[in-house]
Amino acid sequence: MKAYLKQLFSYRWQPGMIAWLLMRLSGLGLVLYLCLHLGVISYSGKSPEDFRAFLALRKHIFVKVLESLLILAVCYHANNGVRVILIDFGFGSRWQKQLFIGVVILTFVLSTIFLYPVWYG
Amino acid sequence: MEKRFFIQRFFPGKDKRPYWQEYVLHCDSTWVVLDALEAIRSKQDPSLAYRRVCRHGICGSCAMNINGLNRLACETRLADLPSKIRIKPLPGFPVIRDLVVDLTQVYQNIEAIKPYLITKTPPPAKERLQSPLERKKLDGLYECIFCGACTSACPTFWASKHFLGPTALLQACRFVMDSRDEAKQERKKFLKQHPSLWQCHAILNCVEACPKGLNPFEAIVLLRKSLLKP
């Protein structure tokens, strides 16, 4: 594991490698979020009052930041998933850099649309 | 122009761990990295070890990690590099000394896919013919020089030494696509039994690293498609 990480951090990160690392990180983050989400919902949903108190937490800046990260992770994971499917089907491995740039732009555009109600809604 | 070279040195048995050694060299603008290594070895440090044979990007001996990327020293122009140049041996392989690595794993993996034409029918009087279209299918597959740059750049290979690696899989594709080969079913059976073909995560470091501009990932996709065909 130590040797693997050493190689991972010493080899120059190119778009394909950045895309793969972000895919892994966002995937792990989403799995962690799902576990937390199910756990928190099951504990805070015992009564309507509990749930309302729980929803009020969404106005907290810390939760807003976490929610923003969640939206970014979902958008990136979904968009890059499409890129990986295209490449795996044999389309665009020659243009993978351009595809990655497209994924990043699309992720920011979609995230901005979804983040607007979180911060200004 | 003056260049500062930081070269990773390691002599197993003598050194406890790899270390960086700095060399300052006045270089000609037409030089490639291999010229600089030759100058360092002849003028400054004869103990520096590296491989070189043809100097024309055909033998693949001088593959090394230059400024974080796997490249051939004989094809990498100094004029295209910054003033500080860091040179390491190919990652993912055991170091024999300094920039010389043990590529046995790559050669064993290539050997495993039987990188030669297998025929069962009696040979024709002159030669086994191919149509221009059949021959064209081998373009981008047969040019591999076995330098190991792609396999060494592959994070899947770093994680699992059982992974055949892009070099061997490109060769496997080269023979599966060859119209003259008569052992396609055996080759496909081997690839079906071996998990390597499905372990590739499309990171595409191999495509960036290949000094001949080949696309091992496209070969992997072709192999996957050929295995899925009944």
PDB file of all heavy atoms in Angstrom, chain B residues 155-182:
ATOM      1  N   PRO B 155      -1.773   2.508 -12.951  1.00  0.00           N
ATOM      2  CA  PRO B 155      -2.055   2.316 -11.525  1.00  0.00           C
ATOM      3  C   PRO B 155      -2.611   0.914 -11.202  1.00  0.00           C
ATOM      4  O   PRO B 155      -2.412   0.419 -10.099  1.00  0.00           O
ATOM      5  CB  PRO B 155      -3.084   3.399 -11.214  1.00  0.00           C
ATOM      6  CG  PRO B 155      -2.828   4.458 -12.224  1.00  0.00           C
ATOM      7  CD  PRO B 155      -2.443   3.704 -13.469  1.00  0.00           C
ATOM      8  N   THR B 156      -3.302   0.297 -12.158  1.00  0.00           N
ATOM      9  CA  THR B 156      -3.810  -1.066 -11.908  1.00  0.00           C
ATOM     10  C   THR B 156      -2.645  -2.037 -11.782  1.00  0.00           C
ATOM     11  O   THR B 156      -2.668  -2.940 -10.949  1.00  0.00           O
ATOM     12  CB  THR B 156      -4.756  -1.500 -13.051  1.00  0.00           C
ATOM     13  OG1 THR B 156      -5.675  -0.451 -13.296  1.00  0.00           O
ATOM     14  CG2 THR B 156      -5.515  -2.757 -12.694  1.00  0.00           C
ATOM     15  N   PHE B 157      -1.620  -1.849 -12.588  1.00  0.00           N
ATOM     16  CA  PHE B 157      -0.426  -2.708 -12.503  1.00  0.00           C
ATOM     17  C   PHE B 157       0.325  -2.449 -11.199  1.00  0.00           C
ATOM     18  O   PHE B 157       0.851  -3.381 -10.594  1.00  0.00           O
ATOM     19  CB  PHE B 157       0.486  -2.457 -13.708  1.00  0.00           C
ATOM     20  CG  PHE B 157       1.726  -3.316 -13.725  1.00  0.00           C
ATOM     21  CD1 PHE B 157       1.658  -4.663 -14.085  1.00  0.00           C
ATOM     22  CD2 PHE B 157       2.958  -2.795 -13.364  1.00  0.00           C
ATOM     23  CE1 PHE B 157       2.791  -5.456 -14.087  1.00  0.00           C
ATOM     24  CE2 PHE B 157       4.099  -3.590 -13.362  1.00  0.00           C
ATOM     25  CZ  PHE B 157       4.022  -4.914 -13.730  1.00  0.00           C
ATOM     26  N   TRP B 158       0.359  -1.194 -10.744  1.00  0.00           N
ATOM     27  CA  TRP B 158       1.009  -0.893  -9.458  1.00  0.00           C
ATOM     28  C   TRP B 158       0.314  -1.648  -8.329  1.00  0.00           C
ATOM     29  O   TRP B 158       0.948  -2.109  -7.395  1.00  0.00           O
ATOM     30  CB  TRP B 158       0.945   0.598  -9.125  1.00  0.00           C
ATOM     31  CG  TRP B 158       1.593   1.511 -10.108  1.00  0.00           C
ATOM     32  CD1 TRP B 158       2.556   1.175 -11.029  1.00  0.00           C
ATOM     33  CD2 TRP B 158       1.341   2.903 -10.301  1.00  0.00           C
ATOM     34  NE1 TRP B 158       2.904   2.278 -11.770  1.00  0.00           N
ATOM     35  CE2 TRP B 158       2.188   3.346 -11.350  1.00  0.00           C
ATOM     36  CE3 TRP B 158       0.496   3.824  -9.691  1.00  0.00           C
ATOM     37  CZ2 TRP B 158       2.188   4.671 -11.787  1.00  0.00           C
ATOM     38  CZ3 TRP B 158       0.500   5.137 -10.127  1.00  0.00           C
ATOM     39  CH2 TRP B 158       1.332   5.555 -11.161  1.00  0.00           C
ATOM     40  N   ALA B 159      -1.040  -1.746  -8.466  1.00  0.00           N
ATOM     41  CA  ALA B 159      -1.813  -2.365  -7.385  1.00  0.00           C
ATOM     42  C   ALA B 159      -1.767  -3.886  -7.450  1.00  0.00           C
ATOM     43  O   ALA B 159      -1.814  -4.554  -6.425  1.00  0.00           O
ATOM     44  CB  ALA B 159      -3.259  -1.884  -7.434  1.00  0.00           C
ATOM     45  N   SER B 160      -1.713  -4.440  -8.658  1.00  0.00           N
ATOM     46  CA  SER B 160      -1.775  -5.897  -8.786  1.00  0.00           C
ATOM     47  C   SER B 160      -0.771  -6.400  -9.818  1.00  0.00           C
ATOM     48  O   SER B 160      -0.891  -6.084 -11.005  1.00  0.00           O
ATOM     49  CB  SER B 160      -3.198  -6.312  -9.206  1.00  0.00           C
ATOM     50  OG  SER B 160      -3.182  -7.628  -9.696  1.00  0.00           O
ATOM     51  N   LYS B 161       0.173  -7.163  -9.345  1.00  0.00           N
ATOM     52  CA  LYS B 161       1.182  -7.706 -10.257  1.00  0.00           C
ATOM     53  C   LYS B 161       0.610  -8.863 -11.094  1.00  0.00           C
ATOM     54  O   LYS B 161       1.260  -9.375 -11.992  1.00  0.00           O
ATOM     55  CB  LYS B 161       2.421  -8.181  -9.484  1.00  0.00           C
ATOM     56  CG  LYS B 161       3.134  -7.058  -8.750  1.00  0.00           C
ATOM     57  CD  LYS B 161       3.701  -6.004  -9.693  1.00  0.00           C
ATOM     58  CE  LYS B 161       4.250  -4.809  -8.926  1.00  0.00           C
ATOM     59  NZ  LYS B 161       4.046  -3.524  -9.546  1.00  0.00           N
ATOM     60  N   HIS B 162      -0.638  -9.275 -10.792  1.00  0.00           N
ATOM     61  CA  HIS B 162      -1.283 -10.315 -11.594  1.00  0.00           C
ATOM     62  C   HIS B 162      -1.936  -9.729 -12.849  1.00  0.00           C
ATOM     63  O   HIS B 162      -2.342 -10.466 -13.742  1.00  0.00           O
ATOM     64  CB  HIS B 162      -2.335 -11.062 -10.766  1.00  0.00           C
ATOM     65  CG  HIS B 162      -1.752 -11.698  -9.545  1.00  0.00           C
ATOM     66  ND1 HIS B 162      -0.854 -12.735  -9.621  1.00  0.00           N
ATOM     67  CD2 HIS B 162      -1.898 -11.425  -8.233  1.00  0.00           C
ATOM     68  CE1 HIS B 162      -0.487 -13.078  -8.398  1.00  0.00           C
ATOM     69  NE2 HIS B 162      -1.104 -12.297  -7.539  1.00  0.00           N
ATOM     70  N   PHE B 163      -2.076  -8.406 -12.847  1.00  0.00           N
ATOM     71  CA  PHE B 163      -2.639  -7.725 -14.015  1.00  0.00           C
ATOM     72  C   PHE B 163      -1.626  -7.822 -15.157  1.00  0.00           C
ATOM     73  O   PHE B 163      -0.453  -7.491 -14.972  1.00  0.00           O
ATOM     74  CB  PHE B 163      -2.914  -6.269 -13.650  1.00  0.00           C
ATOM     75  CG  PHE B 163      -3.456  -5.426 -14.773  1.00  0.00           C
ATOM     76  CD1 PHE B 163      -4.620  -5.795 -15.427  1.00  0.00           C
ATOM     77  CD2 PHE B 163      -2.818  -4.267 -15.170  1.00  0.00           C
ATOM     78  CE1 PHE B 163      -5.130  -5.019 -16.459  1.00  0.00           C
ATOM     79  CE2 PHE B 163      -3.323  -3.482 -16.200  1.00  0.00           C
ATOM     80  CZ  PHE B 163      -4.487  -3.867 -16.846  1.00  0.00           C
ATOM     81  N   LEU B 164      -2.081  -8.273 -16.318  1.00  0.00           N
ATOM     82  CA  LEU B 164      -1.140  -8.489 -17.435  1.00  0.00           C
ATOM     83  C   LEU B 164      -0.490  -7.186 -17.907  1.00  0.00           C
ATOM     84  O   LEU B 164       0.650  -7.190 -18.364  1.00  0.00           O
ATOM     85  CB  LEU B 164      -1.861  -9.148 -18.613  1.00  0.00           C
ATOM     86  CG  LEU B 164      -2.153 -10.646 -18.483  1.00  0.00           C
ATOM     87  CD1 LEU B 164      -3.038 -11.105 -19.630  1.00  0.00           C
ATOM     88  CD2 LEU B 164      -0.871 -11.466 -18.447  1.00  0.00           C
ATOM     89  N   GLY B 165      -1.214  -6.097 -17.789  1.00  0.00           N
ATOM     90  CA  GLY B 165      -0.655  -4.797 -18.179  1.00  0.00           C
ATOM     91  C   GLY B 165      -0.924  -4.468 -19.632  1.00  0.00           C
ATOM     92  O   GLY B 165      -1.141  -5.362 -20.467  1.00  0.00           O
ATOM     93  N   PRO B 166      -0.884  -3.167 -19.971  1.00  0.00           N
ATOM     94  CA  PRO B 166      -1.207  -2.733 -21.340  1.00  0.00           C
ATOM     95  C   PRO B 166      -0.286  -3.320 -22.407  1.00  0.00           C
ATOM     96  O   PRO B 166      -0.743  -3.597 -23.514  1.00  0.00           O
ATOM     97  CB  PRO B 166      -1.085  -1.215 -21.288  1.00  0.00           C
ATOM     98  CG  PRO B 166      -0.808  -0.843 -19.888  1.00  0.00           C
ATOM     99  CD  PRO B 166      -0.603  -2.043 -19.067  1.00  0.00           C
ATOM    100  N   THR B 167       1.003  -3.510 -22.086  1.00  0.00           N
ATOM    101  CA  THR B 167       1.935  -4.041 -23.097  1.00  0.00           C
ATOM    102  C   THR B 167       1.471  -5.414 -23.565  1.00  0.00           C
ATOM    103  O   THR B 167       1.355  -5.673 -24.772  1.00  0.00           O
ATOM    104  CB  THR B 167       3.363  -4.173 -22.513  1.00  0.00           C
ATOM    105  OG1 THR B 167       3.670  -3.021 -21.741  1.00  0.00           O
ATOM    106  CG2 THR B 167       4.394  -4.363 -23.596  1.00  0.00           C
ATOM    107  N   ALA B 168       1.200  -6.315 -22.615  1.00  0.00           N
ATOM    108  CA  ALA B 168       0.814  -7.684 -22.962  1.00  0.00           C
ATOM    109  C   ALA B 168      -0.569  -7.720 -23.617  1.00  0.00           C
ATOM    110  O   ALA B 168      -0.794  -8.478 -24.567  1.00  0.00           O
ATOM    111  CB  ALA B 168       0.827  -8.558 -21.713  1.00  0.00           C
ATOM    112  N   LEU B 169      -1.479  -6.873 -23.133  1.00  0.00           N
ATOM    113  CA  LEU B 169      -2.835  -6.886 -23.698  1.00  0.00           C
ATOM    114  C   LEU B 169      -2.842  -6.333 -25.131  1.00  0.00           C
ATOM    115  O   LEU B 169      -3.593  -6.817 -25.980  1.00  0.00           O
ATOM    116  CB  LEU B 169      -3.805  -6.106 -22.803  1.00  0.00           C
ATOM    117  CG  LEU B 169      -4.087  -6.800 -21.453  1.00  0.00           C
ATOM    118  CD1 LEU B 169      -4.869  -5.895 -20.522  1.00  0.00           C
ATOM    119  CD2 LEU B 169      -4.836  -8.121 -21.655  1.00  0.00           C
ATOM    120  N   LEU B 170      -1.986  -5.350 -25.395  1.00  0.00           N
ATOM    121  CA  LEU B 170      -1.845  -4.841 -26.772  1.00  0.00           C
ATOM    122  C   LEU B 170      -1.339  -5.950 -27.693  1.00  0.00           C
ATOM    123  O   LEU B 170      -1.827  -6.127 -28.813  1.00  0.00           O
ATOM    124  CB  LEU B 170      -0.876  -3.647 -26.799  1.00  0.00           C
ATOM    125  CG  LEU B 170      -0.721  -2.949 -28.137  1.00  0.00           C
ATOM    126  CD1 LEU B 170      -1.790  -1.871 -28.310  1.00  0.00           C
ATOM    127  CD2 LEU B 170       0.641  -2.299 -28.286  1.00  0.00           C
ATOM    128  N   GLN B 171      -0.392  -6.725 -27.200  1.00  0.00           N
ATOM    129  CA  GLN B 171       0.140  -7.847 -27.983  1.00  0.00           C
ATOM    130  C   GLN B 171      -0.923  -8.922 -28.187  1.00  0.00           C
ATOM    131  O   GLN B 171      -1.032  -9.508 -29.267  1.00  0.00           O
ATOM    132  CB  GLN B 171       1.361  -8.450 -27.280  1.00  0.00           C
ATOM    133  CG  GLN B 171       2.633  -7.670 -27.500  1.00  0.00           C
ATOM    134  CD  GLN B 171       2.874  -7.366 -28.971  1.00  0.00           C
ATOM    135  OE1 GLN B 171       3.072  -8.276 -29.767  1.00  0.00           O
ATOM    136  NE2 GLN B 171       2.849  -6.103 -29.337  1.00  0.00           N
ATOM    137  N   ALA B 172      -1.706  -9.178 -27.130  1.00  0.00           N
ATOM    138  CA  ALA B 172      -2.789 -10.166 -27.251  1.00  0.00           C
ATOM    139  C   ALA B 172      -3.745  -9.748 -28.358  1.00  0.00           C
ATOM    140  O   ALA B 172      -4.158 -10.567 -29.189  1.00  0.00           O
ATOM    141  CB  ALA B 172      -3.524 -10.280 -25.919  1.00  0.00           C
ATOM    142  N   CYS B 173      -4.065  -8.453 -28.383  1.00  0.00           N
ATOM    143  CA  CYS B 173      -4.981  -7.931 -29.405  1.00  0.00           C
ATOM    144  C   CYS B 173      -4.366  -8.063 -30.798  1.00  0.00           C
ATOM    145  O   CYS B 173      -5.053  -8.421 -31.750  1.00  0.00           O
ATOM    146  CB  CYS B 173      -5.304  -6.472 -29.097  1.00  0.00           C
ATOM    147  SG  CYS B 173      -6.543  -5.785 -30.176  1.00  0.00           S
ATOM    148  N   ARG B 174      -3.047  -7.799 -30.872  1.00  0.00           N
ATOM    149  CA  ARG B 174      -2.350  -7.876 -32.158  1.00  0.00           C
ATOM    150  C   ARG B 174      -2.510  -9.267 -32.790  1.00  0.00           C
ATOM    151  O   ARG B 174      -2.675  -9.397 -34.003  1.00  0.00           O
ATOM    152  CB  ARG B 174      -0.861  -7.534 -31.945  1.00  0.00           C
ATOM    153  CG  ARG B 174      -0.022  -7.508 -33.223  1.00  0.00           C
ATOM    154  CD  ARG B 174       0.976  -8.651 -33.189  1.00  0.00           C
ATOM    155  NE  ARG B 174       1.693  -8.756 -34.445  1.00  0.00           N
ATOM    156  CZ  ARG B 174       1.232  -9.440 -35.494  1.00  0.00           C
ATOM    157  NH1 ARG B 174       0.035 -10.019 -35.463  1.00  0.00           N
ATOM    158  NH2 ARG B 174       1.943  -9.530 -36.599  1.00  0.00           N
ATOM    159  N   PHE B 175      -2.473 -10.317 -31.968  1.00  0.00           N
ATOM    160  CA  PHE B 175      -2.584 -11.677 -32.527  1.00  0.00           C
ATOM    161  C   PHE B 175      -4.032 -12.135 -32.685  1.00  0.00           C
ATOM    162  O   PHE B 175      -4.331 -12.919 -33.573  1.00  0.00           O
ATOM    163  CB  PHE B 175      -1.744 -12.660 -31.697  1.00  0.00           C
ATOM    164  CG  PHE B 175      -0.276 -12.455 -31.957  1.00  0.00           C
ATOM    165  CD1 PHE B 175       0.499 -11.701 -31.096  1.00  0.00           C
ATOM    166  CD2 PHE B 175       0.308 -12.954 -33.108  1.00  0.00           C
ATOM    167  CE1 PHE B 175       1.843 -11.453 -31.367  1.00  0.00           C
ATOM    168  CE2 PHE B 175       1.643 -12.714 -33.392  1.00  0.00           C
ATOM    169  CZ  PHE B 175       2.418 -11.963 -32.519  1.00  0.00           C
ATOM    170  N   VAL B 176      -4.920 -11.620 -31.829  1.00  0.00           N
ATOM    171  CA  VAL B 176      -6.346 -11.946 -32.010  1.00  0.00           C
ATOM    172  C   VAL B 176      -6.861 -11.318 -33.309  1.00  0.00           C
ATOM    173  O   VAL B 176      -7.694 -11.887 -34.008  1.00  0.00           O
ATOM    174  CB  VAL B 176      -7.172 -11.473 -30.778  1.00  0.00           C
ATOM    175  CG1 VAL B 176      -8.668 -11.498 -31.070  1.00  0.00           C
ATOM    176  CG2 VAL B 176      -6.871 -12.351 -29.566  1.00  0.00           C
ATOM    177  N   MET B 177      -6.332 -10.152 -33.650  1.00  0.00           N
ATOM    178  CA  MET B 177      -6.773  -9.438 -34.852  1.00  0.00           C
ATOM    179  C   MET B 177      -6.087  -9.939 -36.132  1.00  0.00           C
ATOM    180  O   MET B 177      -6.493  -9.571 -37.230  1.00  0.00           O
ATOM    181  CB  MET B 177      -6.474  -7.931 -34.715  1.00  0.00           C
ATOM    182  CG  MET B 177      -7.308  -7.231 -33.691  1.00  0.00           C
ATOM    183  SD  MET B 177      -9.037  -7.293 -34.144  1.00  0.00           S
ATOM    184  CE  MET B 177      -9.786  -7.445 -32.540  1.00  0.00           C
ATOM    185  N   ASP B 178      -5.059 -10.759 -35.988  1.00  0.00           N
ATOM    186  CA  ASP B 178      -4.296 -11.205 -37.157  1.00  0.00           C
ATOM    187  C   ASP B 178      -5.063 -12.299 -37.900  1.00  0.00           C
ATOM    188  O   ASP B 178      -5.355 -13.362 -37.335  1.00  0.00           O
ATOM    189  CB  ASP B 178      -2.924 -11.731 -36.699  1.00  0.00           C
ATOM    190  CG  ASP B 178      -1.953 -11.820 -37.875  1.00  0.00           C
ATOM    191  OD1 ASP B 178      -2.377 -12.265 -38.959  1.00  0.00           O
ATOM    192  OD2 ASP B 178      -0.781 -11.441 -37.689  1.00  0.00           O
ATOM    193  N   SER B 179      -5.393 -12.018 -39.170  1.00  0.00           N
ATOM    194  CA  SER B 179      -6.204 -12.961 -39.961  1.00  0.00           C
ATOM    195  C   SER B 179      -5.479 -14.293 -40.173  1.00  0.00           C
ATOM    196  O   SER B 179      -6.114 -15.315 -40.430  1.00  0.00           O
ATOM    197  CB  SER B 179      -6.549 -12.332 -41.311  1.00  0.00           C
ATOM    198  OG  SER B 179      -5.346 -12.038 -42.011  1.00  0.00           O
ATOM    199  N   ARG B 180      -4.151 -14.306 -40.065  1.00  0.00           N
ATOM    200  CA  ARG B 180      -3.389 -15.536 -40.331  1.00  0.00           C
ATOM    201  C   ARG B 180      -3.325 -16.445 -39.115  1.00  0.00           C
ATOM    202  O   ARG B 180      -3.000 -17.620 -39.224  1.00  0.00           O
ATOM    203  CB  ARG B 180      -1.953 -15.178 -40.766  1.00  0.00           C
ATOM    204  CG  ARG B 180      -1.896 -14.354 -42.021  1.00  0.00           C
ATOM    205  CD  ARG B 180      -0.560 -13.683 -42.170  1.00  0.00           C
ATOM    206  NE  ARG B 180      -0.285 -12.761 -41.072  1.00  0.00           N
ATOM    207  CZ  ARG B 180       0.837 -12.082 -40.914  1.00  0.00           C
ATOM    208  NH1 ARG B 180       1.796 -12.211 -41.793  1.00  0.00           N
ATOM    209  NH2 ARG B 180       0.990 -11.262 -39.893  1.00  0.00           N
ATOM    210  N   ASP B 181      -3.635 -15.896 -37.936  1.00  0.00           N
ATOM    211  CA  ASP B 181      -3.513 -16.680 -36.710  1.00  0.00           C
ATOM    212  C   ASP B 181      -4.656 -17.688 -36.623  1.00  0.00           C
ATOM    213  O   ASP B 181      -5.817 -17.357 -36.863  1.00  0.00           O
ATOM    214  CB  ASP B 181      -3.550 -15.752 -35.500  1.00  0.00           C
ATOM    215  CG  ASP B 181      -3.127 -16.463 -34.239  1.00  0.00           C
ATOM    216  OD1 ASP B 181      -1.914 -16.585 -34.006  1.00  0.00           O
ATOM    217  OD2 ASP B 181      -4.019 -16.924 -33.495  1.00  0.00           O
ATOM    218  N   GLU B 182      -4.326 -18.925 -36.260  1.00  0.00           N
ATOM    219  CA  GLU B 182      -5.344 -19.984 -36.213  1.00  0.00           C
ATOM    220  C   GLU B 182      -5.558 -20.508 -34.795  1.00  0.00           C
ATOM    221  O   GLU B 182      -5.998 -21.635 -34.589  1.00  0.00           O
ATOM    222  CB  GLU B 182      -4.920 -21.120 -37.166  1.00  0.00           C
ATOM    223  CG  GLU B 182      -5.034 -20.685 -38.627  1.00  0.00           C
ATOM    224  CD  GLU B 182      -4.292 -21.598 -39.595  1.00  0.00           C
ATOM    225  OE1 GLU B 182      -3.664 -22.576 -39.153  1.00  0.00           O
ATOM    226  OE2 GLU B 182      -4.326 -21.315 -40.803  1.00  0.00           O
TER     227      GLU B 182
END
